[in-house]
Amino acid sequence: MAVTLSEHGRMLLFQASELKELARGRGITLMGLDAGEKMTAVGFADAKSVTVSGKSRSGKEKVVRVSGEQLQKHIVRRARKGCLLPGKLVPAAVVMD
């Protein structure tokens, strides 16, 4: 599954099969973003769990593992906004287990 993270702390997972190559170098939308918001990371993970590293609001490094029922709410179709990560994390990267 493809994993996308936004600077506002949202995560979206979708099937990698939704990534299509378009003609003449056209791009595709991976994740819906608010005005001025940026995507911070893109990666791949299995459908069982995702580990995300980033910073807490106090600026401390933090690693969050999302699995089970919590993970299911993040799995939707490509180009959606996704859901907020637990722990008010500002994500920086998808950690490969």
Side-chain angles (χ1 to χ4, degrees):
M1 299 198 86
V3 181
T4 57
L5 303 170
S6 79
E7 67 183 350
H8 290 173
R10 291 182 292 133
M11 178 170 72
L12 171 71
L13 277 82
F14 57 90
Q15 294 294 329
S17 61
E18 292 185 46
L19 297 172
K20 307 275 187 225
E21 185 175 340
L22 299 178
R24 298 190 321 213
R26 293 181 57 196
I28 61 171
T29 301
L30 296 177
M31 180 181 205
L33 299 170
D34 293 330
E37 183 180 14
K38 295 178 183 174
M39 193 178 308
T40 57
V42 177
F44 292 93
D46 61 23
K48 295 178 184 173
S49 68
V50 176
T51 305
V52 177
S53 68
K55 291 187 178 185
S56 65
R57 293 203 176 167
S58 64
K60 294 182 180 179
E61 291 291 325
K62 188 174 181 181
V63 175
V64 173
R65 184 178 182 91
V66 184
S67 62
E69 239 178 76
Q70 269 191 334
L71 184 65
Q72 292 305 310
K73 71 179 186 179
H74 296 279
I75 301 174
V76 290
R77 295 184 53 84
R78 179 184 61 79
R80 303 295 190 264
K81 286 195 171 191
C83 294
L84 288 173
L85 284 161
K88 298 181 180 178
L89 180 75
V90 178
V94 178
V95 179
M96 303 305 285
D97 294 330

